[in-house]
Amino acid sequence: FTQSESIMRFVVLVSSPISEGILGPVYFIGIKKLTAAEHRPLAYSIMFAVSNAGGGSSDIVVDILRLWYATRLEWWNYVVGAWVTPARACFLSAGFVLLLSTGLALALPDSLVPPLCPHKYKEFSDESSTSSGRCSPCSVVVQAFSLLKDRNLWRVCIVATCLTFTKMQWHHMNATLPKYLVRQLGETVPWGAINSIDYFLCAALAPLLAWATGHWHDANAIIIGSFVMSVSPIFMTLEVSIRASCAWLVLMSIGEVIWNPRFTTYTANLSPHGREGVFLVLAYVPTFIGGLPAGWLSGELLSRYSPDCPSCRETEGAFCQVNCAHPGSACNATNRLTDQLLCTSFKNSGTCLSRQWPGLDACPVSCATCPGWSEHADGPSLWLWVLILATTGPVLLFVFRRLLLQDANKDTVCHMDDCDIKKACPEVVGVTIDNYVERD
């Protein structure tokens, strides 16, 4: 409902990260509480699959709306109104789905809602607790500082930090690839359907690969999967085409399905009993910080190796691709009678008609067909940088492999005010009375 850049920055940089930061730990904690350790990899894989199914569906919707807007503009304006752009239509539909999901979540029974604050509790107990759901900000801060001494937390942080550039491929898929394909192949390229390959493959393969690799150690699965994912951009360095993009996303999806759910399982298994919420928030801090420069890097790579071509596009981005000599064009009759090449966009409301096209026999349908653009572009080099940076992840993980493979339970410490020595400690494999530490 607005075109304010300030509101957009607030949504992207403030409200969205805060809401995701609250929802993520609660979601992960709930799955851990409701599953046994041997079933947890499959449970997180199913969660991963459902999330990706939603992402793939949204990409298909984006493509449908884009193509409808570009090819049937009059019908679009009649049905949804001229003020509703494809972007606004996507936001409105996403808001409706979120409201529906919120209503369904509020309808869940209280027994399925995990506690956010550390406290004594009985897992799967029918007994109600009057004080378990309340905690002060001070207690959360104290718990956070105490967890900084936990070696398991640092293991998870090491994995998350090592995979920073490998995980940036998700941002390149969602932000870099659409602009890259439009500039290289034109605005009619179905980049939404191409992006959906990753989501739908992840949705389909996650439970199957979780079952097939269930006997692997979490650390080994993370290393192998991240390696497969890191080398996937090699197809994009070979040629500029839709098939290269599809091949990249297929291989990336396979690697992602192997390591991503297992990283979630690895994190959940290392989180201390009763303090999972604070642990998960701290564990994902490197992921949040590492994702901050992703947008800047994407912009730098695009501007250097696949820049925009404003001379062949309208201010709003539409290419001057419609030849006025075409019988179906929206140009007026006077323009059609001239011998000069006249081009306009599908909106026919910009400045394309006033531009000259020396040396062109056809209107530019992409930046690649724009005069002089190819002299400043080198698409394969863009993806070569993505490939080089992505491979740092599995290489660093292999360096820390021995640390990641160590038995996490050896570092588990049961504190008197954090867990019941008679109930909580025996549930942790490898914890003996020697691990008991009484706090001052």
Short mmCIF file of all heavy atoms in Angstrom, two decimals, residues 73-101:
data_model
loop_
_atom_site.label_atom_id
_atom_site.label_comp_id
_atom_site.label_asym_id
_atom_site.label_seq_id
_atom_site.Cartn_x
_atom_site.Cartn_y
_atom_site.Cartn_z
N LEU A 73 -1.87 -6.68 -19.94
CA LEU A 73 -1.90 -5.53 -19.04
C LEU A 73 -3.32 -4.97 -18.90
O LEU A 73 -3.75 -4.63 -17.79
CB LEU A 73 -0.96 -4.45 -19.55
CG LEU A 73 -0.85 -3.18 -18.68
CD1 LEU A 73 -0.36 -3.54 -17.28
CD2 LEU A 73 0.08 -2.16 -19.32
N GLU A 74 -4.06 -4.86 -20.00
CA GLU A 74 -5.41 -4.31 -19.91
C GLU A 74 -6.31 -5.21 -19.06
O GLU A 74 -7.11 -4.72 -18.25
CB GLU A 74 -5.99 -4.16 -21.32
CG GLU A 74 -5.28 -3.10 -22.16
CD GLU A 74 -5.92 -2.92 -23.52
OE1 GLU A 74 -6.93 -3.63 -23.79
OE2 GLU A 74 -5.43 -2.10 -24.30
N TRP A 75 -6.18 -6.51 -19.25
CA TRP A 75 -7.00 -7.44 -18.47
C TRP A 75 -6.59 -7.40 -17.00
O TRP A 75 -7.42 -7.49 -16.11
CB TRP A 75 -6.85 -8.84 -19.05
CG TRP A 75 -7.65 -9.91 -18.36
CD1 TRP A 75 -7.17 -11.01 -17.73
CD2 TRP A 75 -9.07 -9.99 -18.24
NE1 TRP A 75 -8.19 -11.77 -17.21
CE2 TRP A 75 -9.38 -11.15 -17.52
CE3 TRP A 75 -10.13 -9.17 -18.67
CZ2 TRP A 75 -10.68 -11.53 -17.20
CZ3 TRP A 75 -11.42 -9.55 -18.36
CH2 TRP A 75 -11.69 -10.71 -17.63
N TRP A 76 -5.30 -7.25 -16.74
CA TRP A 76 -4.81 -7.13 -15.36
C TRP A 76 -5.43 -5.91 -14.69
O TRP A 76 -5.92 -5.99 -13.56
CB TRP A 76 -3.29 -7.02 -15.37
CG TRP A 76 -2.66 -6.73 -14.04
CD1 TRP A 76 -2.60 -5.51 -13.41
CD2 TRP A 76 -2.02 -7.65 -13.15
NE1 TRP A 76 -1.96 -5.61 -12.21
CE2 TRP A 76 -1.58 -6.92 -12.02
CE3 TRP A 76 -1.76 -9.01 -13.21
CZ2 TRP A 76 -0.92 -7.51 -10.96
CZ3 TRP A 76 -1.09 -9.61 -12.16
CH2 TRP A 76 -0.67 -8.87 -11.05
N ASN A 77 -5.38 -4.77 -15.37
CA ASN A 77 -5.93 -3.54 -14.79
C ASN A 77 -7.42 -3.67 -14.54
O ASN A 77 -7.95 -3.10 -13.57
CB ASN A 77 -5.65 -2.36 -15.72
CG ASN A 77 -4.17 -2.03 -15.82
OD1 ASN A 77 -3.39 -2.38 -14.93
ND2 ASN A 77 -3.78 -1.37 -16.90
N TYR A 78 -8.12 -4.41 -15.39
CA TYR A 78 -9.56 -4.58 -15.22
C TYR A 78 -9.88 -5.47 -14.02
O TYR A 78 -10.83 -5.21 -13.29
CB TYR A 78 -10.15 -5.18 -16.50
CG TYR A 78 -11.62 -5.48 -16.41
CD1 TYR A 78 -12.57 -4.46 -16.50
CD2 TYR A 78 -12.07 -6.79 -16.23
CE1 TYR A 78 -13.94 -4.74 -16.41
CE2 TYR A 78 -13.43 -7.08 -16.14
CZ TYR A 78 -14.36 -6.05 -16.23
OH TYR A 78 -15.69 -6.34 -16.13
N VAL A 79 -9.07 -6.52 -13.80
CA VAL A 79 -9.37 -7.49 -12.75
C VAL A 79 -8.90 -7.01 -11.38
O VAL A 79 -9.66 -7.02 -10.41
CB VAL A 79 -8.73 -8.86 -13.08
CG1 VAL A 79 -8.92 -9.84 -11.92
CG2 VAL A 79 -9.34 -9.42 -14.35
N VAL A 80 -7.64 -6.58 -11.27
CA VAL A 80 -7.07 -6.27 -9.96
C VAL A 80 -6.82 -4.78 -9.75
O VAL A 80 -6.54 -4.35 -8.63
CB VAL A 80 -5.74 -7.04 -9.74
CG1 VAL A 80 -5.98 -8.52 -9.75
CG2 VAL A 80 -4.71 -6.66 -10.79
N GLY A 81 -6.85 -4.01 -10.81
CA GLY A 81 -6.65 -2.57 -10.66
C GLY A 81 -5.25 -2.15 -11.08
O GLY A 81 -4.28 -2.89 -10.92
N ALA A 82 -5.15 -0.93 -11.60
CA ALA A 82 -3.87 -0.45 -12.12
C ALA A 82 -2.84 -0.24 -11.02
O ALA A 82 -1.64 -0.32 -11.27
CB ALA A 82 -4.08 0.86 -12.89
N TRP A 83 -3.30 0.05 -9.79
CA TRP A 83 -2.35 0.33 -8.70
C TRP A 83 -1.69 -0.94 -8.17
O TRP A 83 -0.66 -0.88 -7.49
CB TRP A 83 -3.06 1.06 -7.56
CG TRP A 83 -4.02 0.18 -6.80
CD1 TRP A 83 -5.31 -0.10 -7.12
CD2 TRP A 83 -3.73 -0.54 -5.61
NE1 TRP A 83 -5.86 -0.95 -6.21
CE2 TRP A 83 -4.91 -1.24 -5.26
CE3 TRP A 83 -2.61 -0.67 -4.78
CZ2 TRP A 83 -4.99 -2.05 -4.14
CZ3 TRP A 83 -2.70 -1.48 -3.67
CH2 TRP A 83 -3.87 -2.15 -3.35
N VAL A 84 -2.26 -2.11 -8.48
CA VAL A 84 -1.72 -3.37 -7.97
C VAL A 84 -0.69 -3.91 -8.96
O VAL A 84 -1.04 -4.41 -10.03
CB VAL A 84 -2.84 -4.41 -7.76
CG1 VAL A 84 -2.25 -5.71 -7.21
CG2 VAL A 84 -3.90 -3.87 -6.81
N THR A 85 0.57 -3.78 -8.62
CA THR A 85 1.65 -4.35 -9.43
C THR A 85 1.84 -5.82 -9.04
O THR A 85 1.30 -6.28 -8.02
CB THR A 85 2.95 -3.58 -9.18
OG1 THR A 85 3.31 -3.72 -7.80
CG2 THR A 85 2.79 -2.10 -9.52
N PRO A 86 2.59 -6.60 -9.83
CA PRO A 86 2.86 -7.99 -9.43
C PRO A 86 3.50 -8.10 -8.05
O PRO A 86 3.20 -9.03 -7.29
CB PRO A 86 3.81 -8.48 -10.52
CG PRO A 86 3.46 -7.68 -11.72
CD PRO A 86 3.10 -6.32 -11.19
N ALA A 87 4.38 -7.16 -7.70
CA ALA A 87 5.00 -7.20 -6.37
C ALA A 87 3.96 -7.02 -5.28
O ALA A 87 3.96 -7.73 -4.27
CB ALA A 87 6.08 -6.12 -6.26
N ARG A 88 3.04 -6.04 -5.46
CA ARG A 88 1.99 -5.84 -4.46
C ARG A 88 1.07 -7.05 -4.37
O ARG A 88 0.63 -7.43 -3.28
CB ARG A 88 1.17 -4.60 -4.83
CG ARG A 88 1.87 -3.27 -4.50
CD ARG A 88 0.86 -2.14 -4.52
NE ARG A 88 1.47 -0.88 -4.09
CZ ARG A 88 1.86 0.08 -4.92
NH1 ARG A 88 1.72 -0.09 -6.22
NH2 ARG A 88 2.41 1.18 -4.46
N ALA A 89 0.77 -7.66 -5.50
CA ALA A 89 -0.08 -8.85 -5.49
C ALA A 89 0.57 -9.98 -4.71
O ALA A 89 -0.09 -10.70 -3.95
CB ALA A 89 -0.38 -9.29 -6.92
N CYS A 90 1.89 -10.12 -4.85
CA CYS A 90 2.62 -11.16 -4.10
C CYS A 90 2.58 -10.87 -2.61
O CYS A 90 2.36 -11.77 -1.79
CB CYS A 90 4.06 -11.24 -4.59
SG CYS A 90 4.25 -11.91 -6.25
N PHE A 91 2.80 -9.61 -2.23
CA PHE A 91 2.79 -9.25 -0.82
C PHE A 91 1.41 -9.47 -0.21
O PHE A 91 1.28 -9.96 0.92
CB PHE A 91 3.22 -7.79 -0.64
CG PHE A 91 4.67 -7.54 -0.91
CD1 PHE A 91 5.08 -6.39 -1.57
CD2 PHE A 91 5.63 -8.46 -0.52
CE1 PHE A 91 6.42 -6.15 -1.83
CE2 PHE A 91 6.98 -8.24 -0.78
CZ PHE A 91 7.37 -7.09 -1.43
N LEU A 92 0.36 -9.11 -0.96
CA LEU A 92 -0.99 -9.28 -0.44
C LEU A 92 -1.34 -10.75 -0.25
O LEU A 92 -1.92 -11.15 0.76
CB LEU A 92 -2.00 -8.62 -1.38
CG LEU A 92 -2.00 -7.09 -1.40
CD1 LEU A 92 -2.90 -6.56 -2.52
CD2 LEU A 92 -2.45 -6.53 -0.06
N SER A 93 -0.97 -11.59 -1.24
CA SER A 93 -1.26 -13.02 -1.12
C SER A 93 -0.45 -13.64 0.01
O SER A 93 -0.96 -14.49 0.76
CB SER A 93 -0.97 -13.73 -2.45
OG SER A 93 0.40 -13.57 -2.82
N ALA A 94 0.80 -13.21 0.16
CA ALA A 94 1.62 -13.74 1.26
C ALA A 94 1.07 -13.32 2.61
O ALA A 94 1.07 -14.11 3.56
CB ALA A 94 3.07 -13.25 1.11
N GLY A 95 0.58 -12.09 2.71
CA GLY A 95 -0.01 -11.64 3.96
C GLY A 95 -1.24 -12.44 4.33
O GLY A 95 -1.45 -12.78 5.50
N PHE A 96 -2.06 -12.78 3.34
CA PHE A 96 -3.24 -13.60 3.60
C PHE A 96 -2.85 -14.98 4.12
O PHE A 96 -3.44 -15.48 5.09
CB PHE A 96 -4.07 -13.73 2.33
CG PHE A 96 -5.23 -14.68 2.45
CD1 PHE A 96 -6.39 -14.29 3.10
CD2 PHE A 96 -5.16 -15.95 1.91
CE1 PHE A 96 -7.46 -15.18 3.23
CE2 PHE A 96 -6.21 -16.84 2.02
CZ PHE A 96 -7.37 -16.44 2.68
N VAL A 97 -1.84 -15.58 3.50
CA VAL A 97 -1.39 -16.91 3.94
C VAL A 97 -0.82 -16.85 5.35
O VAL A 97 -1.06 -17.74 6.18
CB VAL A 97 -0.34 -17.47 2.95
CG1 VAL A 97 0.26 -18.77 3.47
CG2 VAL A 97 -0.98 -17.70 1.58
N LEU A 98 -0.08 -15.79 5.67
CA LEU A 98 0.49 -15.65 7.00
C LEU A 98 -0.61 -15.49 8.06
O LEU A 98 -0.51 -16.04 9.16
CB LEU A 98 1.44 -14.46 7.04
CG LEU A 98 2.78 -14.64 6.32
CD1 LEU A 98 3.56 -13.34 6.30
CD2 LEU A 98 3.60 -15.74 6.99
N LEU A 99 -1.63 -14.72 7.73
CA LEU A 99 -2.74 -14.56 8.68
C LEU A 99 -3.45 -15.90 8.91
O LEU A 99 -3.81 -16.24 10.04
CB LEU A 99 -3.73 -13.52 8.15
CG LEU A 99 -3.27 -12.06 8.20
CD1 LEU A 99 -4.31 -11.16 7.54
CD2 LEU A 99 -3.03 -11.62 9.64
N LEU A 100 -3.63 -16.67 7.85
CA LEU A 100 -4.26 -17.98 7.98
C LEU A 100 -3.40 -18.90 8.84
O LEU A 100 -3.91 -19.62 9.72
CB LEU A 100 -4.49 -18.59 6.60
CG LEU A 100 -5.13 -19.97 6.56
CD1 LEU A 100 -6.52 -19.94 7.18
CD2 LEU A 100 -5.19 -20.48 5.12
N SER A 101 -2.08 -18.88 8.61
CA SER A 101 -1.17 -19.72 9.39
C SER A 101 -1.17 -19.31 10.86
O SER A 101 -1.11 -20.16 11.75
CB SER A 101 0.25 -19.63 8.81
OG SER A 101 0.28 -20.03 7.46
#
